[in-house]
Amino acid sequence: MNKNTITVQVMSFQELVNKYRHFHVPHFQRAYSWNKEQWSQLWVDLIDEAADGQEHFIGNIVLCKSDSHSGWVEIVDGQQRVTTMSILIAVLRNHLWDLNRFTDSHSLNETFLMYAGFGSAPKGRLHLSKQDQNWFSEFIHCNLRDIDNGDDFAHPKKSVPKGIPQSNRKLWMAYNFFRDCVVKEIGDDLQKMNTLMNYLADRVLFTATHLEDGADAYDLFECLNDRGLPLSVSDLFKNFLLSQASKNTAENAPDLEGAWNGMVDILDEKYLGDFFRYHWLSTRAKIQKKQLYREMRKAVTQNQLELEPYVMELKSEAVNFKDIIGEGMPAEAATESVLQELRDLGYKVVNSLLLAGWAQGNRVDRHKLTLTLDTFLVRYATFAGQVTNILEPRFSQLSIRLRDGSPLSDLVKDLEDLSPSDEQVWLGFRESNFNAKSAGVILRRIERELGAAPSDLENLVAVKIVPGKPSELGEMTGVSDCEGLASRDGRISNYALLPKSLKKEFELCNRGDQRLQMLAKTALPTQSSLNTGSVSPSLLDERRDALTEHAKGIWSWAALGEPGAHATANSYA
């Protein structure tokens, strides 16, 4: 790239639109993704700095001459900022119209949002991706010359419709956010309105980088990423995908852009990076996230991977990944409850194997696969305390074998061989320190297997039967042997389940016997006998022994496929 073709200058928003007139967001760019946190920060900054008369530096914008639209520029970087500014100005334009300030509304519209060349009809200045342009054309690019003064302006509805692309939802929500801000904080105060409009035009500044002829926007996009700008794996792969598609001009060329947009319609872009990595693990080899894009590109350019079938495969399995991570259709009830257990424990490492199993359709029993993975990981990590990141290479190998037709029974055997010994597992269950989240997951599973209704467990959280600090224990009544209790602080036996609404009351209670009574009232199988006497080490040890037997009935390899077979509600009798 010739440095002589690059110019950099600080420009106001008005200077930008005066110089360039039409902006086009190229198809390799991500869809609109700003959210309330970013809208709110921008609004607060603009209002505060407009009142003080300070300049506001909004960030960088990188522009490249468009090859497909004569006289236009493409926004290589910065489209989120320009799109948000355009939405805010459209809100101000519409608000002025509602206040019967028609001349001001026209002026704002034709300065920033629409442009009409000599003798031609006005056209929108900012053109987004295909996915977002229809919405933008309907609500932002308005030809006010076609609307009579005094007619009602057609604002987007306050309620965002269902079934529209995620980026359309965010555009809609951005409009509603700024409209609420303008109505509440400016209202009919024309002085405030004029101050803000003048500030947006002249005092909001961009660092604008412009590339002349010969600049390759695709290469520049990757260059920006190499220099530290926050571009995701999905941004980079979309850039590469569409750069490859642009080289194929045949009439029967595959619609890779359409396939990509179809995938994004299925799976929100924020999940794509994880999806790509777990799919790669599931079909090819272990990969770090930072290596993923280069390996994907290398495989395509060296003809190790055919781009069209690969994109179609990704689109097909995106549905499965959405279901697996809990953002899509729930699985059958028993399977979904175990999947949720894995999610709650944070075991994403299973995603490669779950993708492999889901891709096999009816050949693989999804419930048996999910139970197998849950049994292995709870034993391996939750109870025995082993780290899970070292499992990725092995899980990748097992995923590939499963896809190649290996029976599920082989997977069960492999995982059983990898599992720590029963002695390690059950010692860990009895003696390890649990945090409240993992203790809650384990206890809810045990109670469910013992017959508690799932609906009764939904709003329960894990609480410590007695606090662990000796100073806090010393202030309690209805407890015995504080030193012995303190040594059992984080163990599973010192946790129980309680409605979230009662947690604060429970933790403020300094009588051990009353705490036990509160827990017994939950009527859960393992807690119904806790209303006896004071809290003592022997009480917690009895609870530990009983919970251990129940856990063996759920997470032992012998019990796999027969969940709860060894757990009985009479164990506390």
Side-chain angles (χ1 to χ4, degrees):
M1 190 178 296
N2 187 341
K3 66 180 181 180
N4 294 323
T5 66
I6 301 175
T7 58
V8 181
Q9 63 186 125
V10 175
M11 303 179 74
S12 69
F13 196 46
Q14 175 126 24
E15 289 171 332
L16 273 176
V17 297
N18 286 346
K19 181 172 182 178
Y20 296 114
R21 299 180 181 174
H22 289 292
F23 301 84
H24 177 245
V25 176
H27 53 195
F28 58 78
Q29 280 277 18
R30 71 180 77 176
Y32 187 70
S33 60
W34 271 24
N35 55 39
K36 186 175 181 180
E37 180 181 357
Q38 289 147 318
W39 305 326
S40 181
Q41 185 63 58
L42 176 62
W43 177 258
V44 169
D45 288 345
L46 293 177
I47 292 298
D48 289 349
E49 292 171 7
D52 295 339
Q54 300 178 24
E55 293 177 335
H56 176 72
F57 176 68
I58 196 170
N60 300 305
I61 180 170
V62 181
L63 304 167
C64 176
K65 183 176 180 180
S66 174
D67 293 330
S68 56
H69 298 78
S70 177
W72 291 27
V73 289
E74 294 191 339
I75 304 178
V76 179
D77 182 58
Q79 71 111 333
Q80 305 287 332
R81 302 179 185 96
V82 176
T83 302
T84 305
M85 285 285 286
S86 299
I87 292 172
L88 173 54
I89 287 173
V91 168
L92 295 173
R93 172 200 65 193
N94 300 351
H95 190 64
L96 285 167
W97 190 273
D98 291 342
L99 295 175
N100 297 326
R101 306 288 296 189
F102 305 120
T103 300
D104 292 338
S105 184
H106 276 281
S107 176
L108 202 59
N109 192 52
E110 296 187 10
T111 300
F112 295 102
L113 302 175
M114 306 291 288
Y115 176 76
F118 182 74
S120 62
K123 293 181 180 179
R125 288 186 178 274
L126 176 61
H127 286 252
L128 303 182
S129 63
K130 290 180 181 178
Q131 183 168 296
D132 294 334
Q133 184 56 34
N134 287 341
W135 186 93
F136 221 69
S137 295
E138 181 176 357
F139 294 113
I140 306 301
H141 294 157
C142 297
N143 184 5
L144 297 186
R145 300 176 188 179
D146 295 338
I147 306 175
D148 293 331
N149 291 351
D151 285 357
D152 290 337
F153 203 92
H155 296 281
K157 295 179 180 178
K158 291 289 289 182
S159 58
V160 181
K162 295 181 179 179
I164 63 175
Q166 180 68 16
S167 56
N168 281 196
R169 291 182 60 83
K170 291 193 173 182
L171 290 167
W172 208 304
M173 292 164 66
Y175 182 95
N176 285 338
F177 173 85
F178 287 117
R179 186 182 181 194
D180 288 344
C181 289
V182 169
V183 169
K184 291 175 184 176
E185 299 187 39
I186 295 179
D188 59 2
D189 189 329
L190 293 179
Q191 183 176 351
K192 280 187 177 180
M193 176 70 81
N194 288 329
T195 299
L196 180 58
M197 288 191 301
N198 292 331
Y199 184 77
L200 291 174
D202 299 324
R203 308 290 282 175
V204 175
L205 305 179
F206 293 81
T207 298
T209 302
H210 182 84
L211 297 108
E212 300 295 339
D213 295 334
D216 185 332
Y218 294 106
D219 289 343
L220 177 63
F221 196 71
E222 292 188 36
C223 178
L224 290 170
N225 184 66
D226 290 339
R227 295 180 183 181
L229 292 181
L231 306 177
S232 68
V233 171
S234 59
D235 294 326
L236 290 164
F237 185 62
K238 180 182 179 184
N239 167 46
F240 174 66
L241 170 75
L242 298 178
S243 71
Q244 295 297 302
S246 69
K247 297 174 183 177
N248 189 349
T249 58
E251 289 187 9
N252 62 345
D255 182 12
L256 295 179
E257 183 177 4
W260 177 275
N261 289 334
M263 181 165 56
V264 173
D265 284 344
I266 295 167
L267 189 64
D268 192 293
E269 284 196 77
K270 67 183 177 182
Y271 300 118
L272 287 181
D274 282 345
F275 169 52
F276 290 161
R277 192 169 86 85
Y278 286 115
H279 184 269
W280 192 273
L281 283 164
S282 184
T283 56
R284 285 164 182 82
K286 181 182 184 296
I287 192 78
Q288 297 293 328
K289 196 167 187 178
K290 63 183 180 182
Q291 302 168 329
L292 180 58
Y293 169 66
R294 297 192 184 280
E295 288 301 311
M296 294 169 83
R297 177 171 178 153
K298 178 181 174 183
V300 173
T301 55
Q302 295 184 357
N303 296 320
Q304 299 168 359
L305 188 64
E306 291 186 54
L307 191 57
E308 181 187 359
Y310 180 56
V311 173
M312 297 306 174
E313 181 182 323
L314 286 173
K315 181 181 176 182
S316 173
E317 296 202 22
V319 178
N320 294 338
F321 189 74
K322 185 176 183 178
D323 296 344
I324 287 166
I325 63 175
E327 295 294 325
M329 291 291 292
E332 181 271 329
T335 304
E336 184 63 27
S337 67
V338 182
L339 280 173
Q340 189 58 51
E341 182 175 303
L342 288 165
R343 295 175 199 134
D344 290 342
L345 291 170
Y347 293 145
K348 294 183 178 181
V349 69
V350 299
N351 288 343
S352 59
L353 271 163
L354 291 173
L355 274 171
W358 261 240
Q360 301 304 299
N362 294 331
R363 188 184 74 79
V364 172
D365 183 332
R366 293 182 178 183
H367 185 59
K368 182 69 175 290
L369 172 63
T370 308
L371 277 175
T372 300
L373 294 172
D374 179 78
T375 297
F376 172 76
L377 278 166
V378 170
R379 289 170 60 90
Y380 181 91
T382 310
F383 297 165
Q386 305 290 331
V387 295
T388 59
N389 59 345
I390 64 173
L391 295 172
E392 278 199 343
R394 185 63 174 151
F395 276 24
S396 178
Q397 294 170 0
L398 293 174
S399 300
I400 294 167
R401 284 171 47 190
L402 194 61
R403 287 176 180 271
D404 288 342
S406 179
L408 184 56
S409 57
D410 286 357
L411 173 68
V412 176
K413 185 177 185 304
D414 285 334
L415 292 180
E416 189 171 353
D417 290 343
L418 279 174
S419 180
S421 67
D422 281 353
E423 181 180 2
Q424 289 176 282
V425 169
W426 302 121
L427 179 64
F429 178 81
R430 294 161 64 91
E431 306 295 336
S432 294
N433 286 328
F434 287 73
N435 59 45
K437 184 175 182 179
S438 60
V441 172
I442 297 304
L443 291 174
R444 282 191 292 271
R445 175 73 181 277
I446 289 174
E447 300 291 1
R448 186 170 70 248
E449 298 289 345
L450 290 170
S455 58
D456 293 339
L457 299 170
E458 284 180 0
N459 296 313
L460 300 185
V461 295
V463 292
K464 288 184 177 180
I465 296 175
V466 289
K469 294 180 180 179
S471 59
E472 293 177 343
L473 281 166
E475 296 174 358
M476 296 188 71
T477 59
V479 299
S480 60
D481 188 358
C482 292
E483 185 176 343
L485 290 173
S487 69
R488 291 159 173 77
D489 173 36
R491 295 181 187 174
I492 193 71
S493 57
N494 191 36
Y495 282 100
L497 298 173
L498 193 72
K500 190 174 182 179
S501 59
L502 297 177
K503 181 181 177 184
K504 187 172 182 179
E505 176 187 349
F506 180 85
E507 291 176 341
L508 290 173
C509 177
N510 64 356
R511 288 185 53 182
D513 54 341
Q514 289 185 353
R515 284 187 169 213
L516 292 178
Q517 291 170 16
M518 289 179 70
L519 295 172
K521 287 180 181 179
T522 62
L524 294 173
T526 73
Q527 295 179 194
S528 57
S529 62
L530 287 179
N531 60 350
T532 56
S534 63
V535 184
S536 64
S538 62
L539 177 79
L540 296 187
D541 290 347
E542 290 174 13
R543 177 169 171 76
R544 174 201 64 198
D545 293 342
L547 289 173
T548 302
E549 292 307 306
H550 294 315
K552 287 180 179 179
I554 301 169
W555 291 288
S556 68
W557 290 108
L560 187 60
E562 302 175 22
H566 299 90
T568 63
N570 296 323
S571 299
Y572 276 88

